[in-house]
Amino acid sequence: QKEVEQNSGPLSVPEGAIASLNCTYSDRGSQSFFWYRQYSGKSPELIMFIYSNGDKEDGRFTAQLNKASQYVSLLIRDSQPSDSATYLCAVNLRDSSASKIIFGSGTRLSIRP
Amino acid sequence: DAGVIQSPRHEVTEMGQEVTLRCKPISGHDYLFWYRQTMMRGLELLIYFNNNVPIDDSGMPEDRFSAKMPNASFSTLKIQPSEPRDSAVYFCASSLAGTSGMNEQFFGPGTRLTVL
């Protein structure tokens, strides 16, 4: 079992709709969770992080964490064509230092006009 | 701040040659990470440093790979000898440890390595 798993996609969503991206992780003791966005040919950039169970909202983005079920999700409201990118879920594993995070393989999101 | 700087941006070499990738982290950051990204394996952590000291090199594929950080503003990743399967995009990232111990990693633009 991979430490961090994501559906590779592509996930196609119409413009203006809600895009929902999911991620599961294997280490029940994981403490911190991150969502990075990577445009084609570019480097990853952090868009959200979450530590506590529940929802965390930042503009059109909402991160949701459920530690009991070991999943974290990212919702993008009012999807725009500029949201088309690969979204990488990353998890800080319990047995690693606070700074080491493991990335999932990413989900490709395509917003169709 | 200029962000994380990597050089070269593109490198094409022949199998068996030595390759050296370079990274300048963001000034003041105390963590530096080297990642490799391929379509097949995704983004893999190779090694990371804290205050210039290697902390975890468990992701380094084999002895052909080595990394150094002689000072707070410079790091190298060397592959010797290089092989076609080393072809990938290599990212350097840096971060500053916050009071909670959790920190955002800032990525450089990457070096696209092609080994023929």
Side-chain angles (χ1 to χ4, degrees), chain A residues 6-28:
Chain A
Q6 298 179 254
N7 187 318
S8 63
L11 176 65
S12 181
V13 174
E15 184 175 356
I18 296 176
S20 178
L21 305 165
N22 299 312
C23 170
T24 59
Y25 58 93
S26 60
D27 184 357
R28 184 172 291 277

Side-chain angles (χ1 to χ4, degrees), chain A residues 2 31-32 34 36 38 41-46 51 88 92 96-105, chain B residues 31 33 35 37 42-43 45 48 55-56 58 91 95 97 100-105 107-110 112:
Chain A
K2 290 184 179 180
Q31 297 295 316
S32 344
F34 307 84
Y36 281 77
Q38 186 175 24
K42 302 296 185 182
S43 55
E45 57 178 338
L46 182 68
Y51 303 147
L88 302 168
N92 169 245
S96 64
S97 79
S99 294
K100 178 178 179 178
I101 60 176
I102 301 299
F103 284 84
S105 57
Chain B
Y31 283 87
F33 306 81
Y35 291 90
Q37 188 173 42
L43 191 62
L45 176 64
Y48 76 94
I55 302 301
D56 186 342
S58 59
F91 287 105
S95 68
S100 67
M102 307 304 168
N103 45 64
E104 176 182 357
Q105 295 185 20
F107 283 75
R112 182 173 295 277

Side-chain angles (χ1 to χ4, degrees), chain B residues 17-31:
Chain B
Q17 297 298 306
E18 177 179 299
V19 175
T20 299
L21 311 181
R22 298 173 176 78
C23 175
K24 176 179 169 56
I26 293 173
S27 177
H29 281 191
D30 53 357
Y31 283 87

